[in-house]
Amino acid sequence: MAIAQRLQAEFPGEVLERYTYQGQTAVVIRPGRVRDILQWLRDTPEIRMNHLRSLCGVDNSRHRVDPNLMRFEVVYHLYSIEHRHGLRVRVEVGEEDPVIDSVVSLWPGANWLERETWDLLGIRFTGHPDLRRVLLPDDWEGHPLRKEYPLRGKGEWSGLVELQAMARELDKHSFDPDNPPPAPAPSLTRKKGQPTKFLNEEEGA
């Protein structure tokens, strides 16, 4: 909580809430200066949150206890390897155009985590080096972890038939460990002029 209090003093007006729940301290911040705030948490020597444990997106639309809470948020779990303390940072993003700055330049491991959040929730990360789907096909419609997305999906994926045909074709060349193909017989032919060499014969003997 001391870190959360200092963060609020360092960035006045950016921290909307700070609290502790089940032993974990968290802050809720505005999205505008998220990169500056996370970099400050990473680089301040006595805080040194140098490890990004996880990054994910949340859709609050059906469990919004606070009416002022925005629909989407991005959650960062930070940890200091040096000082052994952690902090949960929740960043609110808008509903109409959910967008937030990328932190790949701070933690390269955020690359795929941001891509996954974009893929499943449709939250865009400005400045990401390669923001595209990572779990679903590129032509997939919608973002399956949004609360309005139907549980049974929106029908068959357009590329499913082609994928199934490709799988059947590849099955023809699959390897069956219970019935491996016979090993080729060793060649006993000897090239003309090549001396005969026995298995127990040492090099240079």
Side-chain angles (χ1 to χ4, degrees), residues 165-175:
M166 186 183 301
R168 287 193 295 270
E169 183 65 27
L170 291 174
D171 278 343
K172 298 177 182 177
H173 309 284
S174 62
F175 174 73

Side-chain angles (χ1 to χ4, degrees), residues 70-205:
M70 291 186 181
R71 175 179 175 181
F72 295 112
E73 62 182 62
V74 178
V75 182
Y76 306 83
H77 288 92
L78 307 180
Y79 183 73
S80 172
I81 298 174
E82 179 181 349
H83 301 299
R84 297 186 178 183
H85 54 220
L87 184 69
R88 184 183 185 203
V89 180
R90 297 169 50 195
V91 187
E92 295 192 331
V93 294
E95 179 173 355
E96 295 301 322
D97 184 24
V99 60
I100 192 171
D101 286 340
S102 171
V103 296
V104 172
S105 60
L106 299 179
W107 294 285
N111 191 317
W112 280 33
L113 299 175
E114 290 182 352
R115 286 179 59 186
E116 181 183 32
T117 303
W118 154 249
D119 194 358
L120 300 181
L121 278 165
I123 299 174
R124 293 187 296 108
F125 292 86
T126 302
H128 190 285
D130 186 21
L131 191 61
R132 55 190 172 90
R133 293 191 185 271
V134 66
L135 297 176
L136 299 172
D138 291 336
D139 58 351
W140 191 276
E141 296 182 5
H143 305 280
L145 286 190
R146 289 192 173 190
K147 292 297 194 294
E148 77 275 6
Y149 198 88
L151 293 177
R152 294 183 178 274
K154 296 183 177 181
E156 296 287 6
W157 170 49
S158 59
L160 181 61
V161 175
E162 180 182 351
L163 181 64
Q164 290 173 332
M166 186 183 301
R168 287 193 295 270
E169 183 65 27
L170 291 174
D171 278 343
K172 298 177 182 177
H173 309 284
S174 62
F175 174 73
D176 184 357
D178 296 326
N179 298 288
S187 176
L188 299 179
T189 59
R190 182 164 53 92
K191 295 180 180 179
K192 187 176 180 180
Q194 180 182 6
T196 303
K197 187 177 181 180
F198 299 96
L199 294 177
N200 61 349
E201 190 176 17
E202 297 182 1
E203 291 289 339

Side-chain angles (χ1 to χ4, degrees), residues 42-62:
R42 187 196 68 173
D43 295 345
T44 301
E46 60 271 28
I47 297 175
R48 197 78 178 114
M49 299 282 188
N50 52 355
H51 177 51
L52 176 65
R53 276 179 163 172
S54 66
L55 181 162
C56 66
V58 180
D59 183 351
N60 295 309
S61 59
R62 294 187 185 174

